[in-house]
Amino acid sequence: MISSKALIDQTGISRATLNNYIQLGILPKPVVQSLSASADEGGARVLGFFPDDALERVQAVQILKGQGLSMAQVSERLAQTDALLEVQELQLEEMASRPAMRPIGRSNQARTTNPAASPISESLGNLSLSLDTLSHPAYMLNYNFELTWFNEPARKEVFGFTTAPAKSTDRNLLSLLTRPEVCLTIEDQRSLVGLLLQLASSRISRDSLSKLLEKSDPDLMQLLDGVYCGADKREQPINELEFFQRDAHGQIVCYRVYAVYFREGILVVHAPGEEHGNDLLNFLSRRDQVIHSLLSKRLPVMTPLAVLVADLQNSVRICSELPPDEYFSLINQIWATMGPILRKYTGTHGKHVGDGVVYYFFPQAESNYLFNAVACADELRQAMRKISSEWQLKKNWFTELQLNIGLHEGQEWLGSFQSANHVEFAVLGNTINQASRLSDFARHGSIWATKDLISKLSNDERSRIEFGVLRKSQENGDRFVASSYAQIESIIDLNQDKHEKLRDISQLAVAEIKRVSNTRLY
């Protein structure tokens, strides 16, 4: 038994938290015992005592809370764990009472891939299984079929390379499988590609898959016919397909290939067909934990990208004008409005800059990431105008809420930083710095993009964008010249102290995005 005082001292929780755990059923009601005043350092005459495992349960609560679970979810998880342990104890007692029997072989009955068949197992999973302990080949593909993560068994048994290529385009699986060091025969390569195409068909259109195949290996185009004729478009939490591969001795071995779909791509695991897969299925069903672990292990990669930096103009003044609760309410409203728009255009969250945002747009199978960035910026501007009107009416003030947006593109190193319960993507290189400077250059809610970005759009995409530069002339007056660019140094006077931080982009050719028509995904 452990006293309540010792439990509080060793775990660091408060007495109020302890009482909350009791009310939630995480800890049982204590057994109250009378004590003499001298027996207890605090002079208490009565003291509550808990079972010996109370310390471990409180520590388990702290771990689960650190994973982002609410107290209700923590309570449910521990209750399910208790139920599972009780079932296991009953099973052990039952097995101990049976006479010893010789196993006669494994059942050939097909297994279901629906983890919900066992609610307790789905919730708890195999706690010893993780990406680090997974002994089967496993790898993560984005929806451009580019390798973003792999484990050591996948490197040895599938890909065969010593280190993954640095550029994202060189990590395309269709290209990787044709390298001389790959561990699969040509027949097995085609079988695996066909299988992966079938798995990807629930998320990627036939036209996009055709483009991927034409770019990598046109001879593989015939595989699409079989994929889309028999593909089951009903997306399952975990898809399972059989894959037959020859081993080192030329013998055909059956594997079960499991695929789990995330917004960031597809996790693929190859497991021997005869192996019992419940533990693996339970592990894969813990989607939040799996994707968090995958993102924290994501391979650094040199990738093309567009960067959007948006900053709230006069944020310091706005903060001083509003009461704290209203200022936070405003910022939260802006974030809540921007979030769905950024997700709509497949933006990936980067590191915050002050009251602004940084988002990355990477190549997509279904859309042009460069146009996505431009269209997203235009929709953010429209949304901010609505928020500004609402607050002008609410506060009866004349303050304009404006996002100043800078857009740039380039090819940079992408990696991730991990804290205890958060993964943040980071881009190393000058692209993000120049986009940030361009956001500082933009004023009054304008959108400025570099010539490099706009010139890489297709003719159809550029035709849907009104862009150019306002030319100022004392003789002829100000005139907006459409479809033109200008260097920063020709637009503003960089000799002024207030423009000092813009001097490093003085030679950058840019244009203002006035509007975007039909801002649909291209």
Side-chain angles (χ1 to χ4, degrees):
M1 301 286 283
I2 182 172
S3 69
S4 58
K5 184 177 184 304
L7 188 59
I8 291 172
D9 291 341
Q10 294 184 43
T11 60
I13 63 174
S14 65
R15 189 166 295 277
T17 300
L18 179 62
N19 291 333
N20 188 33
Y21 289 174
I22 296 172
Q23 293 177 1
L24 289 172
I26 295 173
L27 293 176
K29 291 184 178 180
V31 176
V32 179
Q33 297 183 6
S34 300
L35 301 173
S36 63
S38 60
D40 177 50
E41 295 179 2
R45 297 187 180 277
V46 294
L47 199 61
F49 286 85
F50 295 90
D52 292 331
D53 65 348
L55 180 60
E56 295 180 0
R57 289 185 72 82
V58 174
Q59 291 172 341
V61 171
Q62 293 170 335
I63 291 172
L64 293 172
K65 287 179 64 180
Q67 295 176 355
L69 273 67
S70 66
M71 284 306 302
Q73 292 171 322
V74 169
S75 178
E76 181 182 1
R77 178 70 64 86
L78 291 177
Q80 291 171 336
T81 304
D82 293 340
L84 179 60
L85 292 174
E86 183 178 348
V87 169
Q88 290 176 337
E89 289 177 0
L90 292 173
Q91 290 175 338
L92 289 174
E93 292 177 2
E94 183 179 355
M95 291 175 63
S97 64
R98 293 177 181 174
M101 296 183 65
R102 178 182 177 183
I104 58 176
R106 293 177 177 165
S107 171
N108 291 324
Q109 184 178 359
R111 299 191 312 277
T112 176
T113 58
N114 181 8
S118 176
I120 295 177
S121 297
E122 178 186 5
S123 173
L124 190 62
N126 183 348
L127 298 181
S128 65
L129 192 60
S130 67
L131 289 178
D132 295 323
T133 60
L134 199 59
S135 60
H136 308 309
Y139 47 93
M140 180 88 168
L141 300 172
N142 63 22
Y143 291 107
N144 286 325
F145 266 48
E146 294 166 352
L147 194 68
T148 60
W149 172 84
F150 61 91
N151 65 0
E152 186 64 11
R155 186 191 70 80
K156 288 182 176 180
E157 301 175 29
V158 180
F159 303 112
F161 49 59
T162 303
T163 56
K167 292 185 177 181
S168 60
T169 52
D170 294 336
R171 291 186 185 177
N172 185 287
L173 185 91
L174 305 176
S175 301
L176 287 174
L177 291 178
T178 63
R179 293 164 65 103
E181 63 266 33
V182 73
C183 304
L184 304 177
T185 66
I186 295 179
E187 183 180 351
D188 291 340
Q189 292 173 27
R190 293 179 65 86
S191 297
L192 181 58
V193 170
L195 180 145
L196 294 174
L197 288 173
Q198 184 171 345
L199 292 172
S201 65
S202 65
R203 290 289 185 95
I204 305 177
S205 69
R206 181 187 177 89
D207 289 342
S208 297
L209 287 176
S210 297
K211 292 177 182 178
L212 290 173
L213 292 177
E214 287 177 355
K215 187 176 181 180
S216 301
D217 187 352
D219 293 337
L220 297 174
M221 287 292 296
Q222 58 183 329
L223 295 176
L224 275 181
D225 296 332
V227 167
Y228 273 87
C229 286
D232 183 358
K233 302 301 289 185
R234 294 174 301 170
E235 187 176 316
Q236 303 296 325
I238 302 175
N239 269 335
E240 176 184 348
L241 294 173
E242 287 188 340
F243 171 56
F244 295 93
Q245 175 186 338
R246 293 187 182 275
D247 61 17
H249 304 290
Q251 300 296 319
I252 295 179
V253 179
C254 177
Y255 284 86
R256 289 188 181 274
V257 176
Y258 300 92
V260 187
Y261 299 90
F262 302 95
R263 178 174 177 266
E264 296 77 7
I266 308 173
L267 172 64
V268 182
V269 181
H270 298 205
E274 74 278 2
E275 183 171 306
H276 193 269
N278 285 344
D279 288 344
L280 179 59
L281 288 171
N282 290 334
F283 163 67
L284 294 177
S285 69
R286 305 202 304 271
R287 293 178 56 86
D288 291 344
Q289 297 178 37
V290 172
I291 191 58
H292 183 274
S293 183
L294 280 168
L295 293 180
S296 67
K297 299 175 184 295
R298 184 186 176 103
L299 299 171
V301 62
M302 178 73 75
T303 180
L305 80 165
V307 180
L308 182 155
V309 179
D311 192 50
L312 180 63
Q313 183 168 306
N314 297 325
S315 60
V316 175
R317 178 171 63 82
I318 293 171
C319 180
S320 65
E321 291 179 355
L322 292 175
D325 59 331
E326 291 190 2
Y327 178 74
F328 284 115
S329 175
L330 169 62
I331 298 301
N332 286 331
Q333 182 180 355
I334 293 174
W335 274 106
T337 303
M338 293 174 62
I341 298 173
L342 290 158
R343 288 192 296 271
K344 171 184 175 182
Y345 291 98
T346 66
T348 298
H349 176 255
K351 189 175 182 180
H352 286 240
V353 179
D355 295 303
V357 295
V358 174
Y359 266 78
Y360 311 128
F361 297 80
F362 301 108
Q364 301 290 323
E366 299 288 346
S367 58
N368 185 344
Y369 69 103
L370 296 173
F371 186 76
N372 281 357
V374 177
C376 181
D378 185 65
E379 195 163 329
L380 289 176
R381 173 170 54 189
Q382 296 176 39
M384 182 56 68
R385 287 172 179 168
K386 293 181 180 179
I387 295 176
S388 180
S389 298
E390 291 176 9
W391 278 79
Q392 285 179 332
L393 183 63
K394 176 180 179 180
K395 294 295 295 180
N396 195 28
W397 65 357
F398 297 102
T399 301
E400 289 278 351
L401 301 175
Q402 298 169 324
L403 276 180
N404 299 321
I405 300 177
L407 297 169
H408 193 23
E409 69 81 36
Q411 184 165 295
E412 304 290 0
W413 280 99
L414 167 70
S416 60
F417 296 110
Q418 180 187 12
S419 62
N421 53 13
H422 179 67
V423 176
E424 187 172 85
F425 289 103
V427 169
L428 305 180
N430 207 32
T431 304
I432 185 173
N433 296 330
Q434 292 183 341
S436 180
R437 288 287 180 267
L438 198 52
S439 173
D440 294 332
F441 167 76
R443 304 302 295 168
H444 309 300
S446 60
I447 301 170
W448 285 82
T450 61
K451 181 179 180 180
D452 290 340
L453 189 152
I454 297 175
S455 62
K456 290 183 179 180
L457 298 173
S458 68
N459 292 333
D460 176 65
E461 290 166 339
R462 278 197 301 275
S463 70
R464 308 213 311 267
I465 301 173
E466 182 182 340
F467 68 93
V469 177
L470 180 66
R471 303 287 184 174
K472 297 184 178 181
S473 172
Q474 293 182 351
E475 297 179 356
N476 302 315
D478 297 345
R479 180 181 302 172
F480 183 81
V481 182
S483 301
S484 66
Y485 309 91
Q487 292 180 322
I488 296 290
E489 64 182 2
S490 69
I491 303 175
I492 58 174
D493 183 4
L494 294 177
N495 292 321
Q496 297 182 21
D497 291 340
K498 64 179 181 179
H499 297 320
E500 179 181 1
K501 61 182 178 180
L502 300 176
R503 292 170 187 167
D504 58 353
I505 61 169
S506 61
Q507 302 292 316
L508 197 63
V510 298
E512 182 179 359
I513 306 292
K514 283 293 188 178
R515 62 179 55 85
V516 181
S517 62
N518 299 323
T519 54
R520 57 180 173 80
L521 296 183
Y522 180 72

